[in-house]
Amino acid sequence: MQVAQPVGRNAPALKYDILSALAVHALAADKHRQRSILRVLTLITTRYNWRSNELSIGREEIARLWSVNERTVKREMARFRSQGWIAVKRPAARGRVAVYELDLKQMMLDTAEIWPVIGSDFQERMGDAKEPSTNVVPFKEKQDLAPPDGEDVWGQVQTMLHGRDPELWSSWFQHLTEAERAGGVATLIAPSRFMADYIAQKWTGRVLAAYGRIDPSIRTVRIEATE
């Protein structure tokens, strides 16, 4: 299940809910986390295209918005990618800035502990939303698929991927196996070249984010095929 962006009749309310969750989450955190989330909020409110899920902005412009140098931007954006909040959609090229995409679902999942603080109505909206007529996807997960079983690093990564999106896990991630984990690189094996290429193109950031929460030493995920 991919995360669709807030569009349609209920889009304004959902946008405010997302921004509210991030703001309240920040205020409950330490000063370093507060500053980090404020930077995300700044990017969302100044440059983010909700409809296309695109954040088209260069490192120099981000530095200007954040009042920092480009080295700080590089470090902070890398942190957001490791958290699974931001992924590179199209890398920068000559005469063209990078285009990023935001994973709003991961952001909301990471703020879940403060939903009751905002209010029971907010918690109910986030936890019990039904499939609407628009392409807005609710944040609550379906739990009708059997979770993976394993206590090693890869097993925990699989459990995290399943818990976040059981349907996506069932379609793609459950077919992967871990071949090697060394030197900051996790090498995964897919049963076909098509699956390896597709996951590498679409979902490497999500797999890397899950690894980062279990084994922060992993900085790169490589997906290969058995064929």
Side-chain angles (χ1 to χ4, degrees), residues 20-71:
S20 297
L22 288 172
V24 176
H25 175 67
L27 291 171
D30 60 45
K31 63 180 181 180
H32 303 292
R33 184 66 171 164
Q34 288 178 359
R35 182 172 56 191
S36 185
I37 297 176
L38 178 59
R39 288 169 174 167
V40 171
L41 287 169
T42 300
L43 294 179
I44 292 175
T45 56
T46 60
R47 295 294 185 271
Y48 182 54
N49 186 320
W50 293 91
R51 182 172 293 276
S52 64
N53 185 19
E54 290 188 345
L55 177 68
S56 181
I57 189 170
R59 194 178 295 170
E60 182 179 355
E61 187 176 6
I62 296 176
R64 185 169 64 252
L65 289 172
W66 290 354
S67 297
V68 298
N69 57 41
E70 292 188 33
R71 179 177 296 180

Side-chain angles (χ1 to χ4, degrees), residues 177-213:
T177 57
E178 186 185 66
E180 185 180 31
R181 182 168 17 94
V185 179
T187 302
L188 307 179
I189 302 298
S192 70
R193 171 55 56 189
F194 168 78
M195 180 172 286
D197 291 345
Y198 187 83
I199 296 175
Q201 179 183 3
K202 298 285 292 185
W203 305 116
T204 300
R206 182 172 295 195
V207 178
L208 180 59
Y211 262 112
R213 292 164 185 261

Side-chain angles (χ1 to χ4, degrees), residues 144-178:
D144 55 346
L145 298 177
D149 184 22
E151 297 183 357
D152 59 356
V153 171
W154 175 236
Q156 293 179 65
V157 169
Q158 283 277 47
T159 299
M160 182 169 293
L161 292 170
H162 174 274
R164 178 176 172 190
D165 198 324
E167 293 178 10
L168 185 62
W169 175 84
S170 178
S171 298
W172 300 99
F173 300 137
Q174 72 162 325
H175 304 291
L176 298 175
T177 57
E178 186 185 66

Side-chain angles (χ1 to χ4, degrees), residues 1 215 225:
M1 177 173 58
D215 182 357

